[in-house]
Amino acid sequence: MPYLPSFIAPTKYSNASAALAQVQLIYSQQIAHLRSAMQRYVVGETLPGHVRACYPFVRIHTETVSRKLQEAIDSAQLSYGFVAGPGRFETTLTRPDLYANYYLQQFKLLLQNHGVELEVGTSTQPIPVHFSFAQHDHIEGNLSAERRTLMRDVFDLPDLAAMDDGIANGTYEARPGEPQPLSLFTAARVDYSLQRLRHYTGTSPDWFQNFVLFTNYQFYIDEFVRLGHAEMSDPKSEYICFVEPGNVVTRRVGLPAAAGDELGTQPPRLPQMPAYHLMRTDRTGITMVNIGVGPANAKNITDHIAVLRPHAWIMLGHCAGLRNSQQLGDYVLAHGYVREDHVLDEELPLWIPIPALAEIQKALESAVADVTGLQGTDLKSIMRTGTVASTDNRNWELLPGNQPQRRFSQSRAVALDMESATIAANGFRFRVPYGTLLCVSDKPLHGEIKLPGMANHFYRERVDQHLRIGMRAIELLRLEGSSQLHSRKLRSFSEVAFQ
């Protein structure tokens, strides 16, 4: 027999703040029930049944495809915040502490656009006990092997069937009588990715900012760390703290430490894809992640960061220049992608084009001009806009018969790397605005391969400038406002309401 917390009946709201407060109440009640039961289980108690707690849900009923006129006009530039037509729409919710501002915005838009009440209640979707642990709780480590094996009989464990990406992939079809989705991700899918982010990046998802830079070289991270600490020594900096793996927090000079800062510890070794966070109070700072080499890593980390609903992510990396006219250190602004990375072929078939997004392209081009001081033909002499090919074969040059070279030439590609197409394609798939600015580090088709001395000189010359260009692009995007970023190009015919 299930061992459940007290039932909280579904309630309707016409006020977004009140609806959010009810989500927070239900979630805290359900999580407290799981944590209490787990603590009792660890000390050896026999619990009165199968322990179950469930996620809160939010639901909306509409009877018309039309939206309220004035509010629809006010939000006409937004590509989200409304349902596609009449019906019942619903999603489960998690971590209303982390997502408070995000949920509040989505609730307000639904109320404004449709003029109907939001219904908030407790769903039937169980919360896996592993997702109930607090950030620094490791009580399950005290269990004997036998008690750990018996957990499945007592608690709900993660169910991968509740975590697939069918909604985001456009393949989900509700069964008769089921509601349509409100969000790209169910609560269980979100919780799964939040746990993965801790593992892969070595930092809590609470630190992540709404603008993300990806790189595949530690040189860029070293420079970002240097710039981050420089910002923290400036009392006039717009950033409030800098966070490194192990949740090591450096506050801006003059600011007091916050509760929990003391829990950060330098890890004995870096995680697989370490993340660093230059934070602003409104979460529009910069997160930078070293994703390492290869499209599998690029897909993995973007699969998980996508649940945080960032405003944009941008790839800053190195590439092979494919044109003889290019010089080492030149920049490539990607406006198209040849996808020979293969990791997204099932989720996003190759016949789907990945368009360039004007807002990101303009910001990156302006940032190159601002940082280099070049304009017009001088700017074009160091930056080329063109197609970037991404491959999953690091030694593509060694394939017989020049087959890759022929395909790259036919595609008009100007540069080649291993990660950019994956990051752009997953941005398209998850409705996260994306962009790519690469720097030519070698020209293998023209006899200029990477050698240690040449590479070291190149890194010293270009890393600082390239990183500053990426950070300047984010400044420009921030000034434009997030409402300008979430392009209709990324929305399907029958799209979910949540951004």
Side-chain angles (χ1 to χ4, degrees):
M1 193 170 171
Y3 173 42
L4 303 167
S6 300
F7 178 67
I8 299 178
T11 315
K12 292 185 177 181
Y13 296 92
S14 57
N15 178 276
S17 296
L20 175 61
Q22 186 69 358
V23 171
Q24 293 169 327
L25 173 67
I26 294 171
Y27 182 79
S28 61
Q29 178 219 34
Q30 302 288 313
I31 289 294
H33 175 72
L34 278 181
R35 289 178 179 173
S36 173
M38 185 64 183
Q39 289 167 352
R40 293 168 60 187
Y41 183 78
V42 168
V43 298
E45 284 192 41
T46 299
L47 298 171
H50 183 88
V51 179
R52 174 155 292 172
C54 295
Y55 290 107
F57 73 80
V58 63
R59 177 187 296 150
I60 185 174
H61 293 263
T62 63
E63 297 181 354
T64 175
V65 70
S66 65
R67 289 183 271 157
K68 291 178 68 178
L69 180 60
Q70 185 55 50
E71 285 79 5
I73 293 172
D74 292 341
S75 61
Q77 299 303 312
L78 293 180
S79 61
Y80 57 90
F82 51 89
V83 297
R88 180 163 60 104
F89 299 81
E90 181 179 314
T91 189
T92 49
L93 305 171
T94 189
R95 289 293 310 273
D97 55 332
L98 175 61
Y99 288 95
N101 291 334
Y102 172 77
Y103 287 158
L104 188 62
Q105 182 195 38
Q106 310 313 309
F107 292 176
K108 284 180 177 178
L109 288 171
L110 286 172
L111 290 168
Q112 288 173 3
N113 284 323
H114 296 290
V116 296
E117 292 178 309
L118 301 177
E119 185 177 358
V120 175
T122 307
S123 74
T124 58
Q125 179 62 53
I127 303 175
V129 68
H130 297 82
F131 297 165
S132 72
F133 300 157
Q135 170 72 22
H136 298 283
D137 281 353
H138 303 288
I139 57 176
E140 78 282 5
N142 299 322
L143 292 171
S144 66
E146 181 183 4
R147 293 286 279 179
R148 192 176 295 113
T149 300
L150 292 173
M151 275 184 66
R152 186 177 296 276
D153 294 336
V154 183
F155 296 95
D156 291 302
L157 303 187
D159 177 10
L160 295 180
M163 301 179 196
D164 68 49
D165 283 327
I167 302 171
N169 293 343
T171 58
Y172 173 80
E173 293 185 8
R175 289 175 292 191
E178 282 188 337
Q180 295 294 323
L182 266 178
S183 173
L184 291 177
F185 304 107
T186 64
R189 169 68 170 84
V190 172
D191 272 340
Y192 175 78
S193 282
L194 296 182
Q195 296 293 329
R196 294 288 81 198
L197 284 175
R198 290 192 184 97
H199 171 73
Y200 285 115
T201 70
T203 60
S204 167
D206 301 64
W207 300 116
F208 274 75
Q209 300 295 283
N210 275 320
F211 293 96
V212 183
L213 293 176
F214 295 115
T215 188
N216 51 6
Y217 280 92
Q218 184 63 31
F219 293 92
Y220 285 79
I221 295 297
D222 294 342
E223 185 63 19
F224 190 65
V225 170
R226 187 186 70 79
L227 292 173
H229 284 290
E231 289 288 342
M232 293 306 97
S233 65
D234 179 3
K236 296 181 180 179
S237 174
E238 61 186 335
Y239 300 102
I240 59 170
C241 68
F242 184 64
V243 183
E244 302 173 66
N247 299 310
V248 176
V249 181
T250 303
R251 297 279 168 183
R252 189 182 69 206
V253 62
L255 293 181
D261 285 2
E262 74 283 358
L263 299 175
T265 56
Q266 191 79 26
R269 64 191 63 83
L270 284 177
Q272 185 175 345
M273 288 179 272
Y276 302 77
H277 313 278
L278 196 49
M279 295 188 62
R280 286 169 52 102
T281 54
D282 60 359
R283 303 190 71 86
T284 62
I286 304 171
T287 287
M288 190 164 196
V289 185
N290 182 359
I291 64 175
V293 176
N297 277 3
K299 178 184 183 298
N300 187 7
I301 196 64
T302 49
D303 279 350
H304 301 312
I305 291 179
V307 306
L308 297 172
R309 309 314 298 141
H311 293 322
W313 59 41
I314 295 173
M315 177 67 190
L316 299 180
H318 294 161
C319 65
L322 299 180
R323 302 302 180 96
N324 195 38
S325 58
Q326 291 170 306
Q327 303 296 320
L328 300 188
D330 283 358
Y331 295 114
V332 174
L333 176 59
H335 72 184
Y337 301 89
V338 175
R339 295 166 52 201
E340 294 202 356
D341 44 10
H342 300 303
V343 295
L344 280 168
D345 289 1
E346 292 184 12
E347 291 93 343
L348 200 70
L350 289 174
W351 54 262
I352 297 175
I354 309 301
L357 303 181
E359 297 82 3
I360 307 289
Q361 299 296 96
K362 288 166 59 180
L364 283 169
E365 184 172 358
S366 296
V368 175
D370 290 349
V371 173
T372 64
L374 301 176
Q375 299 288 336
T377 56
D378 291 334
L379 180 62
K380 291 181 178 180
S381 70
I382 67 157
M383 184 182 73
R384 183 159 184 169
T385 301
T387 297
V388 170
S390 288
T391 179
D392 58 358
N393 185 348
R394 178 58 187 87
N395 296 311
W396 60 273
E397 306 101 313
L398 305 182
L399 291 173
N402 293 328
Q403 294 177 10
Q405 298 178 36
R406 182 181 302 165
R407 292 197 301 276
F408 298 151
S409 177
Q410 290 172 328
S411 70
R412 312 302 193 265
V414 299
L416 176 77
D417 79 342
M418 298 187 70
E419 299 85 19
S420 294
T422 308
I423 287 172
N426 240 8
F428 180 88
R429 175 179 169 229
F430 290 129
R431 289 73 161 171
V432 176
Y434 51 84
T436 300
L437 184 72
L438 302 176
C439 191
V440 176
S441 60
D442 62 327
K443 296 169 59 182
L445 297 184
H446 309 285
E448 295 187 55
I449 61 174
K450 286 181 181 175
L451 297 173
M454 181 183 73
N456 289 338
H457 176 75
F458 166 78
Y459 295 141
R460 287 194 299 269
E461 290 290 318
R462 271 292 183 259
V463 166
D464 174 72
Q465 184 183 81
H466 195 186
L467 176 58
R468 288 181 181 275
I469 289 169
M471 295 176 70
R472 175 58 180 159
I474 286 175
E475 291 175 4
L476 295 172
L477 292 171
R478 186 190 301 131
L479 290 172
E480 287 292 321
S482 62
S483 63
Q484 304 297 315
L485 275 173
H486 297 282
S487 172
R488 290 182 176 84
K489 292 179 183 177
L490 303 182
R491 313 294 281 186
S492 62
F493 293 166
S494 182
E495 190 60 67
V496 298
F498 279 22
Q499 175 252 310

